[in-house]
Amino acid sequence: MSVVKNALPEADLKIVGEALQGALVDLVDLSLVAKQVHWNVVGPRFRSVHLQLDEVVTTARTHSDVVAERASALGITPDGRAETVASTTAITGVPEGWIKDAEAVRILVGALSTVIARMRERIQSTDEPDPVTQDLLIALTGDLEKHHWMFAAENA
């Protein structure tokens, strides 16, 4: 049941809904991964990596809210519950314990690469059914790619 009506045909709404839900899961998990690494990073580059991780968290949290609100505006209920995120994420888990700074960077580069690849698929799938959602996904992917570049440069 949808309490919000929109102009998208049902088939288009299904595609857009799947793209937005997948994006929400990826962003929620990315924020959790970055925060977990943030709390456990150690090493000579601790401070710079620590601060950079918080920037990723802020980006992921901001965009997750935008994505969830776009879904709601279209009559799609967003699902960011822990069990949903845990069962549908594609991001590799974070190891337990302290994480050396170089490993922290590798973890974030990997997580960002995974999320960016999935976002690019969603950009393609929403091209025809909903250019508004596609624009939202393009903007957030640009921000994620900037973080990826900055982390990748840390271990270059």
Side-chain angles (χ1 to χ4, degrees):
M1 172 188 97
S2 176
V3 296
V4 177
K5 302 297 178 199
N6 64 72
L8 291 179
E10 195 62 36
D12 290 350
L13 191 59
K14 182 177 182 339
I15 292 166
V16 172
E18 289 172 1
L20 289 168
Q21 179 58 38
L24 178 61
V25 164
D26 284 351
L27 292 166
V28 169
D29 198 27
L30 180 62
S31 73
L32 294 171
V33 165
K35 202 47 134 166
Q36 183 66 26
V37 175
H38 168 91
W39 293 324
N40 290 287
V41 66
V42 294
R45 294 180 297 162
F46 163 80
R47 182 163 173 72
S48 65
V49 172
H50 183 79
L51 294 173
Q52 197 173 353
L53 286 160
D54 263 345
E55 293 173 8
V56 173
V57 171
T58 298
T59 296
R61 288 180 178 169
T62 299
H63 283 297
S64 67
D65 193 48
V66 171
V67 164
E69 288 178 356
R70 176 68 184 154
S72 293
L74 293 173
I76 303 160
T77 58
D79 187 354
R81 296 173 300 154
E83 63 217 46
T84 301
V85 173
S87 67
T88 58
T89 187
I91 300 174
T92 304
V94 177
E96 186 178 330
W98 302 116
I99 302 168
K100 295 292 286 179
D101 50 10
E103 180 61 17
V105 169
R106 277 191 289 282
I107 290 168
L108 258 291
V109 167
L112 286 162
S113 294
T114 297
V115 172
I116 290 165
R118 289 165 53 104
M119 290 300 176
R120 287 188 161 276
E121 291 171 3
R122 294 177 186 117
I123 289 168
Q124 291 297 321
S125 73
T126 56
D127 177 34
E128 288 295 320
D130 187 23
V132 175
T133 296
Q134 184 191 43
D135 283 350
L136 181 150
L137 295 172
I138 290 168
L140 78 87
T141 302
D143 288 347
L144 295 176
E145 286 177 341
K146 181 177 178 184
H147 286 301
H148 181 272
W149 159 58
M150 292 182 157
F151 270 105
E154 288 275 345
N155 279 352

